[in-house]
Amino acid sequence: MRERASHPTKADDTHVAHRYLLLATYVHSVCTNRTLQEAGSKLRLSRDTRREQLLELGMAIVREEGADELTLGRLAAKADVSRTVVYDHFDTRAGLLVALFQRLEERYVGALRAALETAPDNLAGTARVISEAYFNCLAELGPEGPAISAALKGSEEMMAHQQLMVGRYAEIMAGALRPFSSREDNALHLLCIALMGAAEVMALEVQRGRTTQGIAANVLLSLISGGLE
């Protein structure tokens, strides 16, 4: 006797539909996760780019809120990243502040080099370019430099770096002034270091409102010219 062919029941149809629904859900989940991962990889910054971003935001915090408000946690919140990301670039708050100071230093040095490229071939003109470049750069960069320096006062790392900066700046000055000086190289270098010290003190007076940028620049010009005559 031939058996009748079985026909799918409603229960079978429901079971198949449920399996297709589970499969579709799984595929959608996999595709969504992959899309999110790809989007995340696109938003993930390179290490150098992330460091630049953190330094820019750190400088903004110092400028807008003051150096005392700059902490690694505050920077992480400002950058909308975890503290781990910030600690991956800066071990300590002092390290972050030194990195910001180095950033300002590069701008100081770059501004001086650029100004000296167009300096006239005489002592008075070169001295004026050096003095004006120093105080113009200070005005353009704002109060961040002194604020960062004050926040790191007493730090051995900062003191060592400031000495390197002064030496570097003095070396550039000495190179520009050497054609107009009869001093030995070592004596000229020491003179430029002394001039840098005087310029720093006058810069503080400008920032405190006790004198003007123009007066300070003219005094530095006189000191440079008088030191080489």
Side-chain angles (χ1 to χ4, degrees):
M1 182 176 181
R2 182 179 299 177
E3 295 182 359
R4 293 182 180 179
S6 61
H7 296 284
T9 65
K10 291 184 178 180
D12 292 332
D13 291 341
T14 301
H15 181 68
V16 172
H18 181 65
R19 291 180 64 185
Y20 273 113
L21 178 61
L22 289 176
L23 179 60
T25 302
Y26 173 76
V27 171
H28 175 73
S29 175
V30 170
C31 292
T32 300
N33 288 337
R34 183 175 299 172
T35 300
L36 290 175
Q37 290 173 358
E38 291 174 354
S41 64
K42 291 179 181 178
L43 295 174
R44 190 179 300 117
L45 302 179
S46 69
R47 182 174 179 80
D48 290 343
T49 303
R50 175 67 74 187
R51 181 181 175 83
E52 285 300 309
Q53 180 208 38
L54 293 175
L55 288 174
E56 287 290 344
L57 292 174
M59 199 71 75
I61 292 173
V62 173
R63 181 169 53 253
E64 298 166 6
E65 304 174 26
D68 290 342
E69 298 301 316
L70 179 61
T71 64
L72 298 182
R74 177 72 184 89
L75 179 58
K78 183 83 168 178
D80 195 22
V81 298
S82 68
R83 294 193 180 195
T84 303
V85 172
V86 176
Y87 277 104
D88 187 43
H89 291 272
F90 312 104
D91 294 335
T92 62
R93 176 176 180 269
L96 169 60
L97 288 168
V98 169
L100 291 175
F101 193 82
Q102 288 175 326
R103 190 181 184 87
L104 292 176
E105 176 195 349
E106 292 300 324
R107 294 180 183 177
Y108 277 121
V109 171
L112 178 59
R113 290 188 187 277
L116 286 173
E117 288 180 358
T118 59
D121 190 21
N122 58 71
L123 175 58
T126 300
R128 180 170 296 281
V129 165
I130 291 174
S131 58
E132 290 182 351
Y134 181 88
F135 287 103
N136 285 343
C137 187
L138 196 68
E140 291 173 5
L141 295 179
E144 291 93 324
I148 294 170
S149 181
L152 282 167
K153 188 175 182 179
S155 166
E156 292 184 3
E157 184 178 5
M158 184 61 177
M159 289 175 62
H161 189 76
Q162 284 179 319
Q163 289 177 351
L164 288 175
M165 177 186 172
V166 169
R168 186 179 178 190
Y169 208 92
E171 183 178 353
I172 298 172
M173 286 178 60
L177 296 171
R178 185 166 287 113
F180 318 112
S181 173
S182 59
R183 296 174 181 267
E184 295 182 356
D185 288 349
N186 185 54
L188 178 59
H189 184 75
L190 288 175
L191 173 62
C192 290
I193 290 178
L195 291 169
M196 281 293 298
E200 184 177 354
V201 172
M202 287 189 287
L204 290 175
E205 292 296 294
V206 172
Q207 288 156 359
R208 291 168 181 166
R210 296 175 181 173
T211 189
T212 66
Q213 178 181 332
I215 292 174
N218 284 331
V219 171
L220 182 57
L221 165 62
S222 299
L223 291 174
I224 294 173
S225 300
L228 292 179
E229 289 177 353

